[in-house]
Amino acid sequence: MKKICVVTGTRAEYGLLQNVMSRINSSSALELQLIVTGMHLSPEFGLTFKEIEKDGFDINKKIDIILSSDSPSGVTKSIGVGILGFADALESLKPDLMLVLGDRYEIFAASTAAMISRTPIAHLHGGELTEGLIDESIRHSITKMSHLHFVATEKYRKRVIQLGEEPDRVFNVGALGVDNIKNIELLNKEDFEKSLNIKLMDKNLLVTFHPVTLEDNTSEHQTKELLYALNELDDTSLIFTMPNSDTDGRIIFKLIENFVSTHKNAHVYTSLGKLRYLSAIAHVDAVIGNSSSGLIEVPSFKKATINIGDRQRGRIKGNSVIDCSPNKNSIKQAIEYSYSNEFKEIILNSENPYEKGGASRSIVEIIEKSSFKDLIKKKFFDIGTI
């Protein structure tokens, strides 16, 4: 059997990978190996590796790389610690293929170790642009270290090929997040409220805001502007999810905690998990912040996304996404517009550009058919030959 080593470092990554992992587990040709790292092992972020174990997955290795600092120096040191840990893990597990998703520094560390150990890499969600983040460079770097590519749209497929990857190794399978929506039974309103111990109001917003890591010291200012806008929404239930362990993430953490402590209509959760998060989207009026989920998953619910600032600049967006600047007045105007009859009509006729369906199944079927020994030596594909 082919040993497939899946790496996950955040609750969001795990939520997207869960169906893929289940299909690998049930495959007669594949054996699942699982490495958890990053936020999964941090008490500050909820020790979410326990959720993975509760779901029935065996964790082969735990690689703790989060240090006590979210400064650029601290994140850089975390990458170094991660490379050391993944080097030992790969030597022990000896996988036939490493499967990674996205663009975070934990995944960069894992991919670097795999490349040096001559372990083929399959990369999910490459070719995307997020021009406000260091993730942009990390994502493209992982693409160049990888050997199989599973992308979410045809435009992203062309971009990976533009980076020199061979076309017959790049597959447009659609977005994993949309795949999850089609394969999960969401909580009804009563069960959702009970799971969070809250009571929804007539109006409800889901808020997820992360640092813009290519901007210097903007996290505090931008978060305050968001909270200034939300401060006036006494008639609205506000459900916050906490940011990832990015540079300056703890600043956002503290500001949100302080806001929730003084607003009875606001609630904060370190980790909602896949079921509660997707259920939340179904029961709120709009999602507000700068998370990729607002562009990829939310449009499938025919709900508004209020996308703040430059964090997702460059990513493909549907008509249900409202872009606004990271200042109080622009955010307030976007929220008001999301409730307008004009925009409700736009949403009804909008489509999700990431909605293809069957991503998890396609990924596993392609991996089952692949000959890994032929993957490790790559050729640079010159687009001039197309």
Side-chain angles (χ1 to χ4, degrees):
M1 294 178 70
K2 301 174 183 175
K3 294 183 289 185
I4 311 301
C5 180
V6 176
V7 180
T8 172
T10 72
R11 56 189 184 271
E13 285 172 4
Y14 169 64
L16 293 173
L17 288 166
Q18 191 172 356
N19 286 335
V20 176
M21 290 160 53
S22 294
R23 288 185 177 275
I24 293 173
N25 251 345
S26 61
S27 171
S28 60
L30 306 177
E31 174 188 341
L32 176 66
Q33 296 177 328
L34 181 59
I35 298 178
V36 299
T37 185
M39 292 168 59
H40 287 306
L41 305 178
S42 170
E44 183 179 5
F45 294 98
L47 293 172
T48 49
F49 77 89
K50 295 179 181 179
E51 296 176 15
I52 299 174
E53 293 176 331
K54 187 177 179 181
D55 288 336
F57 292 106
D58 294 326
I59 297 174
N60 298 86
K61 296 288 182 180
K62 297 175 184 175
I63 300 176
D64 189 358
I65 71 171
I66 289 186
L67 303 177
S68 59
S69 170
D70 62 355
S71 67
S73 175
V75 171
T76 303
K77 291 174 183 177
S78 290
I79 293 173
V81 172
I83 292 173
L84 292 173
F86 281 105
D88 290 338
L90 290 171
E91 186 174 16
S92 172
L93 296 175
K94 293 181 172 53
D96 296 295
L97 180 80
M98 175 181 279
L99 181 67
V100 297
L101 182 147
D103 46 33
R104 287 186 55 80
Y105 62 85
E106 303 98 330
I107 302 306
F108 178 77
S111 300
T112 301
M115 177 187 65
I116 299 298
S117 70
R118 297 188 293 277
T119 302
I121 303 168
H123 184 213
L124 283 62
H125 277 271
E128 303 179 12
L129 297 184
T130 46
E131 296 173 0
L133 302 176
I134 60 171
D135 301 14
E136 168 86 357
S137 299
I138 290 175
R139 184 186 308 109
H140 298 330
S141 297
I142 295 172
T143 289
K144 292 310 301 176
M145 290 189 276
S146 298
H147 307 83
L148 288 176
H149 309 272
F150 300 102
V151 301
T153 71
E154 189 58 30
K155 185 172 183 178
Y156 296 155
R157 179 177 183 271
K158 291 178 180 178
R159 191 170 288 139
V160 169
I161 295 170
Q162 183 181 342
L163 287 168
E165 298 304 294
E166 298 174 70
D168 60 356
R169 294 187 179 196
V170 189
F171 304 92
N172 174 15
V173 296
L176 284 168
V178 177
D179 205 29
N180 283 341
I181 296 168
K182 295 177 178 294
N183 289 282
I184 193 170
E185 184 177 347
L186 301 177
L187 299 172
N188 60 37
K189 182 180 178 181
E190 181 180 355
D191 289 340
F192 173 70
E193 290 176 327
K194 189 179 298 183
S195 73
L196 296 186
N197 193 29
I198 65 171
K199 192 71 176 177
L200 295 175
M201 302 172 72
D202 291 338
K203 293 182 177 181
N204 305 278
L205 295 174
L206 177 62
V207 187
T208 303
F209 196 73
H210 300 286
V212 184
T213 51
L214 280 183
E215 296 178 357
D216 190 20
N217 299 321
T218 63
S219 291
E220 182 174 5
H221 173 72
Q222 293 188 7
T223 305
K224 284 182 176 179
E225 289 293 309
L226 168 60
L227 297 177
Y228 290 150
L230 299 178
N231 182 58
E232 302 179 13
L233 303 180
D234 295 332
D235 62 343
T236 304
S237 179
L238 304 172
I239 302 172
F240 288 89
T241 63
M242 283 302 195
N244 290 329
S245 58
D246 295 309
T247 306
D248 293 337
R250 287 180 174 85
I251 295 172
I252 299 176
F253 230 102
K254 188 66 175 176
L255 288 170
I256 292 174
E257 286 181 333
N258 290 341
F259 181 88
V260 170
S261 69
T262 58
H263 291 75
K264 293 182 179 180
N265 63 320
H267 317 274
V268 63
Y269 304 90
T270 301
S271 174
L272 287 177
K274 181 173 69 174
L275 175 60
R276 293 194 300 177
Y277 182 77
L278 294 177
S279 298
I281 298 173
H283 295 300
V284 300
D285 303 306
V287 173
I288 180 169
N290 57 10
S291 172
S292 61
S293 66
L295 279 62
I296 297 175
E297 287 96 11
V298 177
S300 292
F301 288 86
K302 299 290 185 181
K303 297 292 179 74
T305 294
I306 299 164
N307 180 53
I308 302 171
D310 288 340
R311 191 173 194 270
Q312 300 300 331
R313 182 160 55 90
R315 203 186 286 272
I316 294 172
K317 303 169 189 172
N319 293 333
S320 60
V321 178
I322 304 170
D323 289 322
C324 67
S325 300
N327 64 71
K328 173 185 173 181
N329 290 334
S330 183
I331 295 168
K332 283 179 60 179
Q333 290 171 6
I335 294 172
E336 291 169 2
Y337 182 53
S338 73
Y339 284 104
S340 69
N341 291 331
E342 177 188 355
F343 191 70
K344 288 178 181 178
E345 186 68 25
I346 291 174
I347 287 181
L348 287 176
N349 297 299
S350 67
E351 295 183 356
N352 187 346
Y354 297 92
E355 190 159 343
K356 185 172 183 178
S360 300
R361 182 185 66 252
S362 297
I363 290 167
V364 174
E365 287 177 352
I366 292 167
I367 289 175
E368 286 176 331
K369 296 173 184 176
S370 297
S371 174
F372 299 158
K373 67 178 181 179
D374 297 329
L375 289 179
I376 201 68
K377 290 186 178 180
K378 295 170 55 174
K379 296 179 182 178
F380 189 93
F381 183 80
D382 190 334
I383 58 173
T385 63
I386 295 178

